[in-house]
Every structure is written in C-alpha cells, then in structure tokens.
Amino acid sequence: MASTPQTPQKALPGSYIQTPVYQSQALGQRGQGQVAQTGTQKPDVEEIPPIARAARAVNETLSEAARYPDLDSYIGQGISSEYEVTTSSAWAPFQKTKMYTIPDRIFEQYNRAQVSTIMGLLADFNHAWVAIDNALYLWDYTHPSPDLVSFEDASHTITAVRLVVPRAGVFVPSIIRLLVVATTADIMLVGMSAQTAAHGGKTVALYSLKMSTPVKGLDVDVIEGSDATGRIFFSGRASDDVYEFTYQQAEKWFANRCAKVNHTAKGYSTFTPGLLFGQKTQQEVVVQMVMDDSRRLLYTLSSRSTIRTFFMRSNTALDPVISKPLGQTLSNIGHITSQTDLLSPSIRIVSISAIAAQEASKTNLVASTSTGCRIFMSATSAYGSSPSSSSAPTSMQVQHVKFPPAGNSSPQLNQNSQSSQSTQYANTSAMNTSSRALVPTRTAVRYAPGYFFTFVVKDQQTGTDFLFISGPDTGRIAQPQEQQPPVKYPELALWLNLGSRAEDVGLASGEFSASSSPVGFANELAVQFDNPTSEIAVLTNTGVHVLRRRRLVDIFAAALRVGGGAEGIEGEVNKFVRRYGRGEVASTALAVACGQAFDVTTDSRLARISDPEVLDLARKCFIEYGGKPFFNENSRLDRSKPAIDSVQLSPRHEGVARYISRLLRSVWKAPILTEHLTPAGGFMVASAVHMSKLQDISQDLTKLKDFVNANRSFIEGLAGPEALGDIRTKNDEIALLGEHRALHALVVLIDRAIEGIAFVLVLFDEKIEETILSLANENRQQVRNLTYEGLCTTELGKALAKDLVKAIVNRNILSGSNVETVAEALRRRCGSFCSADDVVIFKAQEYVKRGAEAGADSDVCRDYLNESLRLFKQVAASMSMEQLDWAIGQYVPLQFYAGAIQLCLVKARESDRANRALAWIQEGRPQGDKRAEAFQARRRCYDLVHQVIKSIEQTRTQSPDIVDGNLTLSGKRREEAADEVDTADDEVFQTDLYDWYLENNRADQLLEVESAYVITYLERRSSDDVAHADLLWKYYIQNERHQDAAGVQLALGKSNFMLSLDKRIEYLGLAKTNASTTRPGIARSIRTEVLREVSDLLDVANIQSDLLQRLRGDSRITADRRPAVIEELDGSILPLSVLFNTYCEPAYYFDLCILIYEAADHRVASDIKATWQNLLERVHQEAEERGDQGPQPYEMIAETIRSLGNKLQLSETMFPVSELLPMLKRYAQHFQPNGGPETWPLDVFLDLQVPFETIYASLENMFYNDEPPFQGRNRRLVGNDIVYLAQVWFQDSIRGSGSPFSGEDNAFAVSQMLHMVTQLGLDERRLEECQNLRMRIENMLR
C-alpha cells in the first residue's frame, strides 16, 4: 500500500481505517479532488483593477481580524502563569485618568451615621452612592460640585443597593433603571431616570414607586438583576436561599404588585428563614450572585466557596441545576496540575465573574481564589455539549487555572516610573504554581474581554488595597504561535496602590465587543480606532479612581515619547517588532503619525498626542521598519500567472491595509441609507451611519492621504521611478513593482473612500427622499442594498452613484435650481462618480445606425461598425444589459458576428473585473455564494454569444461557405466568428460554452476542441458528475495522456458517486492498465506510486467483491436484512476496518480476514495464527456438515490452503509456513489419523512451491521442540515427513547438473538429521528409505 498504517496489538484490526480509500480525496465530494480550496481565489493573468485589489486587501484584513482566537482556544485545558508586569508608564496596559474625591457633603452626612454606612457605584451613569442608616444619596462623581440626589423614604437601615434594568412594559419609558434598596425589614424598588447634562455627564432623578415586600429576618446583602428579563434575585446573611423579588404593573386577583419567592428552600424554612435550631456550625450564606443572560443562568457563591448554578427555564422559574463545592473544584484541578499550596482546601473562592456566550462558547465562569488564582470553568449539558439558552447545564468542570505572577512581583512599584523596564514571567523553564504575590486576595472582578482587577490586602493593619490589574496581550494572542512551547494566555499587568480600601468597582464605558460571536470577540486591535476605549471606575473610601484601558497605539506613542531607556527608541521599536510583528508595528506607527494616539495630560485630561517629535519618530518607524517586499523566482509554482503576482508584499503594505481596514471597519459593510415610515405615515430616508461618524472617518482618511502625499518619496513602493536606481537584481525589480502595485491600489482606495463618504454627505444635503423616489424600482432596490464597500470599490456602486447623480441633476432641473452648482460640488468632492461614458455610448449607437443605413455589404458599414465596437469596448463597463442587447441585435443582421462576440466577452469581463465568477466556479459553485451573481451577470453576456452561434449556423444553410472553390464573404465572416470563440482567453466563457455544448448533446464537439480549458472544465465538473468524469478520461486517452486518465479512473473508483462495486472494479482495472503504460516525460516514481495505490485499492475492492458474493448466498442473513447489506457493499469501497469488524469476522469468513490482514499490512503474529486456526476449524466444520456429499475434510482444507497461498503469494507474514505446517500436522493427527495420504500436509506446501529449505526448517523445529502431540513415539511421524521431504528435495536438486540439496551445507545437515531419524523406530520401509538416502548423500559428499 502507499503507506503502512499503524495497527493495534490485538486480534481486532478495527483501526485499519488508514487505507487508501479512506485517505484519498473522493471525486464525488464537493470541495475536494480537483476543486480548488474554498476561500482561495486563483489569480488571473488579467490585471485586477487597483480598486478591486485594494478592496480584496481590506476584506482579507477584516477577515483576518474576524478570525481572532476565541477565549476557549487560547486558554485551553491546563494551566498558565504568563504575565508581563510592567514598571514603565509607557507599557502600562491601564492608566489612571483621574481621581475624583468624595464631596464634603457626603462626609457631613457620614458623620451623622448611627448604625451603618455602605457605598457603591453606578459607573455606567458616572454616579456613586452611599447609604447612611436609612438614607440613600447619589452624586455625579465627575462633577466638581455635584448636587446630591437623595432617597429618604426608607424606614429602616439600608443593607444593600443594586441598580437593575426594569422589566419591559411595567413602568413608563422614562424609568430606564431601578434601584433595588434592601433594608432590615423590607426590599423596595426606586425608579431612576437619566438625562445628558450640559457638561457631558448625566443627571439622574429618583422616583418612589411604592413597590416593596417584607424581608424581615433575611438580612439581605446580595442582590442581582437580569438585564434581559428584568427579574430581581436576592439573598441574605440568614441562609443560602435564593429569593426573587417579583413585581408587576398592577395587582391581580391572585398576585400582588410585589412579592418574594423562595426558589431553593422547602417546608418550614420558607416561613422562618432566621431560625437555626441546634445549629453549631457557621451558617452557609450566599456572598455573591452573578447573572449570565446569554445562557439564562444565575450563579451564586456561598461563604463555603460552593458555586451553584440556576437555570431560568421560563420567565418565572429558577431551577437549581449544579452545585460545585470547593472540594470538587480542587479535585478537578488535581487532574490538570500538581499539588500546590495556592489551591489547598484551606483557600476560599472570593469572587466569581460570568463569561457570556458571545465571548466564549465553552467557558462560562471565572472564580478567583484568596491566593490570587483564577479558575476558568465550563458548564456542559448532556453528552458534553455546551448548553444553550434553552437547555440547562448538568455539570461544571475546571477548564483552566491561571496562577499569579512570580513571587518577585511586588506591589510596591513606583507607578510614575518612566523607564521601559518590565518584569516578564512568560516562557520560563517551569510553570510558576507557588507564587504568593496576590496573597491575600480580598476580591476580584473580570470584565470582557479579560480585564482582571484583583484587590490584594498587603497591610492587614491598615486594610489598604493594592490593585493588581491584568489584561490580555491582544497583539501577541493575534500573532501565530511560533514559540515552542507556545505562550498560553499572555497578559500585561501592573500594580496600583489605591491608598485606601476599595468599596466597589464598575464599568464606566459600554461593554466591550468586537464581534457578536466568540471568534473575533476579543480583538481590541481591530476596534481601537472605532470603539471608545474601556474605562473602569474604582470607588474607595477617599474617592473614585477612573482607569482607562490603553490601546496599542497609545502604548507605542508613549514608548516613543519616553525614549526606551538605555536601548533608546530602536530598542523599544525592536521590542514591538518581536512581540507583534512588523505588520502591526507599521500599522501602529502609521496611526500615531496620523494623530490617533491619546494620553492623559498633566491636568488629567485625555488628549491626542500632537508632539511633533513623537509624530516624526512614528513617521520614521513606519518608513524604516516597514520591511521590504520579497520575490524569489525559484519559489514560483504556477508559471501561468505573472511573476508580479508571486511577490510577497512588505509588512509596510500590511500595516497600511490594516490601518485603512480599521478606519473603515464600521462602515465597510454597512448600507449607505435606510428607508422607513414616519409615525404619521410619511416616507423617510436616513443614513445608516451617523453623520458625525462619517465625518470622523473622512477626516482620518484625509490625514492618512496627506501623510502619504507628504512622505511618498520616502516610502518604498510609492517613491516613483527614482526608486529603481537602488535595484540590484531582476527579483528586486519584480518585488518593487509588486509592492508599488499593491500600495498604489491602497492609495486609490483612500481617495475613493474619501470621495464615497463625501458623496453620501452631499446626497443627504439634498432632498434625499425625492431623489430616491425618482429612481426606477430596480435601481432603488439596489441602492437600498448598496454598502460603502460597494459604493467605493465596485462598478455597480459607481453606476448607482451616477444614477443618483442624474436623479439629483434632473430634480434640480425640474425645480429650476442651479444645476451647475450641484454639478460643480459633485465634481469637486467626488469626481469619480461623474464621467462622460454615456456620451460615448450614445456616439457608438449613432455609428451603428449609420452603418445600417449604409448597407451590410458596404465597406462604409464595416468602418462604422468597427468604430462603434471600439467605442463600446471603451465604455463596456458602463453599458447596461439593455444597451448590450440592442447592440448585438443590430450587429447580427449586419453579419458583424466577430464584433458581436468581442463586445459580449469584453462586457462580461468588465462586469466582473475581480473575476469572482471564475473563483466561484473553481470552488465548485457553492450554493448561496454571492459570487454566483457575478457569474450570472457574465452568463447573460454569454447567452448572447450562444444566440450569435445559432444565427451563424442558420445562415450556413442559406449561404454556403465556399462557392467554386473560393471562400464567400459570408463564410469569411463565419470563420472570423469561429476564431473569436476558439481563441477567447475567458475561462468563464469557455466553461459556459462547454456547458452549453453538453446541454445541447454536443459532447463529440467538445472532445474535438483543442484547448487547455477543456481539461480544466472537465476536471472541475467531474467532481459532481460521472458523465463529465468519463469524458475527462476519454479526453486524456484521446490525447495519449494515459497517466492522467489513470488518475481520473482511480478517483472514480474511490468516489462517492452512486456506482456499483463491479463498476468501480472496472474503473480500477482500466486505471491499472493506463498506469502501466509508459510515456516519455512521466517520472517512473510517479507512475509507480499511482500503480501501487491502484493495486492496493483494487485488492480491497476484490476482497469486498468476494464478500458481497458470499453474503448474497449466505443463508444466515434474513430476507429483511439482505437488501441493506447488499446495498452497503455494492457501492463505495469500504474501509478494511468495516469489512473486517462488520462482516468478515462476525460471519466467520476467516480466509477473507487473512486477506484483509495482508491488505492492511497487519503483522501481529498472534492474530494471524489464531485466524488460520479458526479457518481450519471452520472449513472442517463445513466439510462435516456436508457429509458424504462433498469432498473429504482434509481435501477441503488442502484446497483452502493452496488457494490462500496463491492469493497471498506465499507472504512470509500472512502465510507462515512455520505455523501452518505444525497446524496441519496436528489436524491430520487429531481428525484424520487413518484418512488420506500420510504426506498430504507436505504435499500442500510442495504444490505451492514453497522452498524446500522453509519446509525443512519447519519440520526440524517440530522435531527438536518435542511439543505435543509429536512426543515420544509420535516423533516418528515428524521423522517420516523429514524422510519424505528429503527424498523429494534430493530428487529435485540433482535434476540436471545441480548439487544435492542446493549445497554441501544443506546436504550435511540433512544427512545428520536422517541419522537421528533412524533412531526413532521407523517402520521397515521408511527406515530402509532413510538409510539408502543417507548413504547416497554421504557418497556424494565424499
């Protein structure tokens, strides 16, 4: 076989799945075999327009960003401790933007406190709150002198406050949030509204809703709400029960407006939650609740570190589904890491954080321990699948453990250090699982996509918190892992001394999300210019600290500003290159140079970095570290495409493409407008993207354009002809040309994007509703679907923009407005959408009319038609199908066939400049692919060519090609048309033409075509149609390409087509014949490889055929089962494992089992020996069942041995004579001591022409081994066989002039053995024969 599979050491070759039929790519499987790989487009020889090339680069970059690894993939099963704890402000992953102090009025109220005081944040509203006894106060912590918003209706001491989202439809729309206020006696709802204030913050107002329910004795201190459903859950210090606060708009017959429901407790505890009779141990209570609306789950953490999971099966139910005690958690961890003090039974879980399904499909929860370890957990439902929002999980397992940073990471770091030093703990020789850097952790919280805030109490006396902040190193995660072993979950981290105790932490910005699915969700790099950066507020007893997540562009700019310490700027940039790659560095440097970086000023303001020195350093980094393009002639595999298409572009091009894609990310796939009806029923058109967003993008693109224009002479690839002076080799020249082509395309895209956005802004400056309504219905629908990508990069978008321009102009004409003003504005701001192509089309149509008037046979007509064709081809991209139909309808009656075909092909090519139709065809024409539209657009042009061909065939019957031996004018024109068809280099056209041939029963005409496209076409279509595959190998044979024909026939034999087994064997037989045919230019190794694969597969097919024939006549199969068995076997060639395990072994077809051993190269001697023994027993049993009606049992066994010996070609492994001969001798001794010839076991092997030496060695072993039953007097039975074999061997060896026993050594050994045999007490005849033979041997040896 082509490769030797690994076989298990047991008598079950069920893993023989590694067979040729299983490894190869089946011809009938779409997307395999001859079909190109999905997602790749083969470059055309024809040059792709720059704008299409740039669009492809942007789309590839966006696709790359969308493939950013999901959380499950880069944490994986196991442990990690990779951190880089930085001491440099430049490299800090977070920075403190501002610290807001607590107003004096709060301290005044605090001083009046009598019972208790608690504090918290409403971070998403920039507010903080404090509950002093029974009063609640809110204030805007961003305002220098905020007003206090108070709620003093509570009659008892407030124990907990939580901000939740209300249930839809219960309150008026102005109530956007609810404050759930728990006291010692009741729990109540307080409505909250919010408005944007003049200073940019928000003002809130509180409303008493008169909605409460008693909770006396519960001592509520934990509250959680569901944003999706508006449900409110709570628990208290009295028990670990989970309650729900239900509320509705009005009272009903059987339900109050408010109530509490206990979802966990049973019996009397529901009514007496505070009574614990006889309780000596500390009561377990809930210390934290976390909601996961994406999975409809509620998690609770108890005081004993038990994590419980509840499933919201309906809007009223809450089912407990999982309880995970700390012991179970530690037991799970024990399977993935060795024992460590950080995860001993004495630790506590101090907090839990949910991970939404949008961020990770498997990982559900992160639990933080008191030792600073983070435990990632996954909840699964039945059979290990991830639970959905409609199914409850049934178990929870530990997925990953993140240990703290190394012990020498100190929280006493100087946060104002300007050095570039950092402490890196990644890729150490051993995983650090004993660091106590985060001991003791008081609490921790996690925000997407992985921001961890860990509060560590290093000074127990003062209770001051040190904040350890870490976040994923997005750039390193996005890079391909080249390190061995790869870095798992790398993070950047820093220490922050809060100077006091933290009371609460909250997300002040919107929740992060770069994608709606786990893949791509955490890609911070992709949205760093698109989404606001994340901000987290930390409330302490002295104020509110606002921390901002720093983008890579901010870190890079800060590193340039700091200067890099001893290594300087070069060291910093090299560090970035090592971490993130040159492409990302080029993109980041370009963004800094274009003013995208921000930093916190000395007065705590966030401002753009506009320092000329920093911007100039970024410019130099982009130019000097952008790398070079590369081209190696020797690495070219496809010589049919231009060398320039094989250029490996520089990281600088990658960086520019990334920066452009990140700027355009939010609008690239967005429609330019949306239509909807107003409440009054009027028609309204609005921009799908906010105008301010479009203006920001346009400004950023304009800055990029200015940067490129200002530095063009320094950028390799844009420097112009003078850059060729540095060229040393031809490869360098090709590389530079490829780089120039790619960068120029991006520059074109920048201009087109600026113009496209400007066009949209102009469009909405006009009366857009009237403009849209004036369009034709088809165009109006296309405009609805038009995206910014389509507008800026496609011909359809350009055409629709022109239609909109025409509509604007016509509307202004009808209204009497100044059209020149509008036209001038359009030409100045978006000149690409204003052209004179329509004028050229009208002129070409006029030439056609003049030609028709001049007469079809006149030279003047030809001149007019040729000129019209030239003009039509010049503006073919702008022609509509109606205009093309009209032109072809005029050309055909005038017998301008070649011109008609040329125009159709040009129009088809221009309608699909990116050749998306060809890529769609090459990828197997996938259903639902948008590229099918490009093919249909081209096909409409090709259908016109088919009509021209039919018209030519009709005219041939009316006017002959040759008259009196001369070619007629009509014949000449028909030949010109035939040449246009045959020599067309449009592969899509040729593919469509061949389809048309076959649809019209012209297969013979197809086989006569001499074109490389025929093979490409048949190879592509043969993947899903047997008829095309048959045509392909017939075409190969017709062109004497037997090796290629063999390949097709082999693929047919392995295919998933509905073919019978006999048909497959027929194909394989033909393949073997063709593969055996020699032809100059075909390497012997290739031919041998194909022939070996065909032979191996043919062996398997023959085994399956034998099996099929046996099963057809096997009476043990029921009539109901027989059709299914025959259907499965009389089709695809099955893996040997299926043939063995499913059929041969259960059916006791042991001879076929041995053949399967041979085909699968299964060399386990014990399996082979056992199967042979089973075979002998089975054959003997069948012979006895037949009785006297059949041959003797020993005859059937002998024939079976001979048959298998021939099939196995006496394989030493599968036909072990040393095992088979004793086996047959034992059989003859046991079953037929007096039946059949005495020497029939030896005769079987002699008939098979087994070497005498082999048989003799086996007999010799039997003689010396003295194994039963050949012991004592029975040894003479072996002696008789030795004498018999020696006689036959002697006679055979001396025949002619040969030496006895093929050599003196063998003769001497046989003589000695005969001497020993004479002492066994042989019968007189054998003894005499033995002595005579020995005497003759001795005489010859003298």
Side-chain angles (χ1 to χ4, degrees), residues 1210-1273:
L1210 301 182
S1211 167
E1212 293 182 3
T1213 305
M1214 301 300 158
F1215 195 79
V1217 177
S1218 61
E1219 299 288 349
L1220 293 178
L1221 181 55
M1223 199 180 296
L1224 290 181
K1225 287 295 296 178
R1226 284 191 294 271
Y1227 170 81
Q1229 173 67 16
H1230 182 73
F1231 290 102
Q1232 292 179 311
N1234 300 316
E1238 180 183 356
T1239 59
W1240 73 265
L1242 291 181
D1243 292 336
V1244 170
F1245 296 102
L1246 293 174
D1247 292 344
L1248 289 171
Q1249 298 183 356
V1250 176
F1252 291 103
E1253 292 87 341
T1254 304
I1255 302 175
Y1256 176 79
S1258 300
L1259 290 173
E1260 186 179 29
N1261 289 336
M1262 292 174 61
F1263 182 82
Y1264 286 118
N1265 288 342
D1266 195 26
E1267 294 179 353
F1270 306 109
Q1271 296 174 324
R1273 289 185 55 80

Side-chain angles (χ1 to χ4, degrees), residues 629-633 635-636 643-644 646-648 730-731 734-735:
F630 175 76
F631 173 74
N632 185 355
E633 179 68 28
S635 65
R636 285 182 65 196
I644 193 174
S646 300
V647 172
Q648 181 178 340
K730 181 66 175 178
N731 287 354
I734 295 174

Side-chain angles (χ1 to χ4, degrees), residues 908-928:
R909 184 170 61 250
E910 291 296 325
S911 67
D912 181 25
R913 297 288 296 276
N915 231 348
R916 299 168 71 240
L918 178 59
W920 178 72
I921 291 173
Q922 291 173 336
E923 295 178 16
R925 311 187 185 200
Q927 295 293 329

Side-chain angles (χ1 to χ4, degrees), residues 885 888 892 897 900-902 904-905 908 935-936 938-954 977 981 986-1000 1002 1005 1017:
D885 286 336
I888 302 305
V892 171
Y897 305 127
I901 294 172
Q902 283 186 30
C904 291
L905 296 182
F935 174 76
Q936 293 300 329
R938 297 181 76 148
R939 190 171 187 177
R940 287 193 289 270
C941 303
Y942 301 147
D943 287 341
L944 295 177
V945 177
H946 301 160
Q947 294 178 15
V948 174
I949 294 175
K950 290 181 179 179
S951 299
I952 293 173
E953 293 175 347
Q954 292 173 359
V981 172
D986 186 345
E987 185 175 350
V988 181
F989 165 67
Q990 297 290 358
T991 300
D992 181 75
L993 179 65
Y994 302 151
D995 283 339
W996 185 68
Y997 281 158
L998 296 179
E999 290 170 0
N1000 291 274
R1002 302 186 182 192
Q1005 188 174 349
Y1017 167 77

Side-chain angles (χ1 to χ4, degrees), residues 36-55:
Q37 295 180 356
T38 302
T40 60
Q41 299 182 6
K42 184 178 180 180
D44 293 332
V45 174
E46 182 183 0
E47 177 66 21
I48 300 175
I51 191 64
R53 187 180 303 280

Side-chain angles (χ1 to χ4, degrees), residues 5-8 10 12-19 1135-1137 1140 1156-1157 1160-1163 1167:
Q6 200 72 20
T7 310
K10 60 182 294 187
L12 184 65
S15 62
Y16 296 163
I17 204 167
Q18 301 293 341
T19 56
L1136 289 173
S1137 60
F1140 184 92
I1156 291 176
Y1157 288 158
D1161 200 16
H1162 183 66
R1163 297 176 177 270
D1167 293 350

